[in-house]
Amino acid sequence: MKALIIKWNAWLLEHNQCSENSKAHHLSLLDSEARLSSLGEEAKLALTTLVYSKQGQQRIARQMQQWQHDLTMLLNQLNQIEMPEVKKSALTKFLLVQCSHLEQHYPIFFNTAALMPDLMADEIKKNISNDLTLLQAALKQCKIGSELAAIIIQTFEQLKLKKACSYRAWRYWQLILEKLIRFCKNVANGELENLLQEYLIYLRFDSLTFYHYLRTQLGCQLDHCVRIDERYDLLCELKKKLLVQPEHNNILQQDLGLALREMLLDFVLAELTYLQRRQTTEKNHQAVLQDQYRVSVGISVDCLAYLLKLAIAVGLVNASPRSTFFSFVAQHFQTPGIGDAQISVNSLNAKYKQVVQHTAVKVRLLLRRMIKEIETEFDLG
């Protein structure tokens, strides 16, 4: 490959020595272009010979990538050198053909992470600018929301500001733009915006702004869920949907590192974990509140004990075992004047067993008032 570089330099030197106004120059120009074409065929033959040689794959890849690097350097230098347009155009075309041949015919050895020559990148920027006009019209025609459309367009507009990008990056954005235009032309549906979002996830659309947009949309959906179980159901549905969400296998991620699907799935799983912990905390807190809750009654302990005794006697309450029942009543009932203190279990038990007439009279009066309330409410008098 070094020999070819030397021959190209010789071609340039010979080309420079010819006078542009002479007849000899015209003949020399034709001869030089023929020689340049011959050098191109010689380069292709050298690459074929290298691939089928007995050298190891790593060594072949190293020589191929060095060749790629040399072509890139020549193109970038040529872009900055002042020379006659005819000569510059011929050499530029020759070098571009060599780069394309290397990328198309030897992809397993081609270094896609290497920077693309400036001339090729400038041409791609022009194509993207032209296609971006088509995409804007397609998005508008499909009535995609202005916020989502702006995110997509701005992502491509920012590419024009990049001074250098790898082959992989430029091919990635070319493919994404082509597929988006085709998608908008082929799909017509009232739910197009949702379909477009899913399609961008499928294409691994490499935009942090778009990821934050999707998170905001998801947050709005969660905010509309009033109950926790509704939020939980929505998150479970999204988790299931993302787990089966297909992705384009031939599109490699650029800057985000993770695919959009994986990033969104991480977000949904984090929300689910938070919600589960919140539910557990609320249940525990609710259990504590239930344990601490006390029923406030307007009768004394002796009346409460006798009223419970009557309820047990007529079968209204099944107080077995009796000791546990009294402990529960003492813990969860609050009589007048007791404050934060609890009813004494022993006192409750003693008053249950020994009822005085004064207590019985007060309880009978309470029961009569209850009966009268029933008669008044249902006109039973």
Side-chain angles (χ1 to χ4, degrees):
M1 295 303 175
K2 290 182 179 179
L4 287 172
I5 297 294
I6 294 173
K7 290 181 179 180
W8 289 340
N9 288 333
W11 178 87
L12 279 173
L13 181 62
E14 180 181 343
H15 218 316
N16 287 334
Q17 290 174 348
C18 295
S19 171
E20 294 186 3
N21 298 322
S22 65
K23 182 178 179 180
H25 166 73
H26 179 69
L27 295 174
S28 176
L29 180 61
L30 294 176
D31 180 59
S32 295
E33 290 179 349
R35 285 179 57 191
L36 191 60
S37 177
S38 176
L39 284 174
E41 295 302 320
E42 187 177 342
K44 293 178 182 179
L45 180 61
L47 291 174
T48 304
T49 304
L50 176 61
V51 170
Y52 289 100
S53 67
K54 295 182 179 180
Q55 300 182 49
Q57 293 289 304
Q58 290 184 350
R59 189 172 181 181
I60 294 174
R62 194 160 51 244
Q63 294 185 59
M64 286 279 195
Q65 290 174 13
Q66 181 60 47
W67 175 241
Q68 177 186 343
H69 175 73
D70 291 341
L71 290 172
T72 301
M73 294 296 293
L74 284 170
L75 274 168
N76 289 342
Q77 291 173 3
L78 186 63
N79 193 34
Q80 299 173 359
I81 294 175
E82 293 185 3
M83 63 170 61
E85 191 60 34
V86 176
K87 184 197 305 182
K88 190 173 185 178
S89 176
L91 187 54
T92 299
K93 181 180 179 181
F94 170 75
L95 293 175
L96 289 174
V97 168
Q98 295 303 313
C99 285
S100 298
H101 178 78
L102 192 60
E103 182 181 6
Q104 293 173 10
H105 295 278
Y106 305 101
I108 61 173
F109 300 114
F110 193 79
N111 183 14
T112 57
L115 294 178
M116 181 179 282
D118 296 339
L119 283 171
M120 294 180 69
D122 291 342
E123 187 63 28
I124 288 177
K125 288 180 182 179
K126 292 179 183 178
N127 293 336
I128 286 179
S129 295
N130 295 334
D131 291 341
L132 206 53
T133 304
L134 297 177
L135 180 60
Q136 282 180 303
L139 292 172
K140 187 174 182 180
Q141 184 176 4
C142 294
K143 298 181 180 179
I144 298 298
S146 58
E147 185 179 0
L148 177 57
I151 289 173
I152 296 173
I153 298 301
Q154 287 172 8
T155 300
F156 286 103
E157 289 287 355
Q158 290 172 358
L159 295 175
K160 300 176 184 179
L161 305 177
K162 291 191 175 184
K163 295 182 179 180
C165 275
S166 64
Y167 278 90
R168 179 188 301 149
W170 283 122
R171 300 308 183 206
Y172 166 84
W173 289 115
Q174 276 186 304
L175 181 62
I176 294 293
L177 184 55
E178 175 189 340
K179 288 185 174 293
L180 283 177
I181 293 173
R182 187 182 305 145
F183 175 85
C184 291
K185 287 183 177 179
N186 294 341
V187 178
N189 193 293
E191 297 294 326
L192 182 58
E193 186 158 338
N194 292 332
L195 291 174
L196 179 57
Q197 292 178 16
E198 292 179 8
Y199 190 64
L200 288 169
I201 295 173
Y202 166 75
L203 293 177
R204 303 185 182 188
F205 190 64
D206 195 60
S207 169
L208 190 60
T209 309
F210 179 59
Y211 166 67
H212 288 307
Y213 169 80
L214 292 178
R215 280 190 54 170
T216 302
Q217 294 289 101
L218 178 55
C220 291
Q221 293 181 46
L222 292 173
D223 289 340
H224 283 104
C225 298
V226 180
R227 302 195 309 272
I228 292 181
D229 58 334
E230 291 179 348
R231 295 170 67 92
Y232 186 80
D233 290 342
L234 175 60
L235 288 169
C236 287
E237 183 181 346
L238 288 169
K239 175 186 173 182
K240 182 178 179 181
K241 190 175 181 179
L242 287 169
L243 285 173
V244 298
Q245 168 74 43
E247 290 181 297
H248 200 300
N249 294 328
N250 296 327
I251 295 181
L252 300 177
Q253 219 40 41
Q254 302 299 317
D255 299 324
L256 293 182
L258 290 175
L260 270 171
R261 184 188 69 86
E262 295 172 353
M263 295 175 68
L264 290 170
L265 186 58
D266 287 345
F267 173 73
V268 170
L269 291 176
E271 286 290 316
L272 273 173
T273 302
Y274 165 74
L275 200 58
Q276 288 166 350
R277 289 178 179 174
R278 179 179 169 185
Q279 286 179 310
T280 302
T281 303
E282 288 184 355
K283 285 180 180 178
N284 294 336
H285 183 61
Q286 187 175 8
V288 171
L289 290 177
Q290 289 176 351
D291 290 339
Q292 295 176 349
Y293 181 74
R294 302 171 72 188
V295 179
S296 179
V297 294
I299 55 178
S300 59
V301 175
D302 54 347
C303 290
L304 176 62
Y306 186 49
L307 187 61
L308 292 172
K309 185 175 184 179
L310 293 175
I312 294 171
V314 298
L316 179 62
V317 176
N318 180 13
S320 179
R322 191 70 50 82
S323 59
T324 304
F325 175 70
F326 283 149
S327 296
F328 177 83
V329 172
Q331 182 180 356
H332 295 286
F333 280 76
Q334 182 181 23
T335 56
I338 197 172
D340 293 333
Q342 289 187 358
I343 298 173
S344 170
V345 177
N346 293 332
S347 174
L348 184 64
N349 190 31
K351 288 178 170 55
Y352 177 87
K353 291 179 179 179
Q354 297 179 358
V355 182
V356 297
Q357 185 177 5
H358 177 69
T359 301
V361 171
K362 287 197 292 186
V363 171
R364 184 178 65 171
L365 180 61
L366 178 62
L367 293 175
R368 283 179 174 175
R369 285 170 58 189
M370 294 171 67
I371 292 172
K372 186 176 180 180
E373 183 67 26
I374 295 173
E375 291 175 346
T376 303
E377 184 175 356
F378 293 97
D379 195 20
L380 300 176

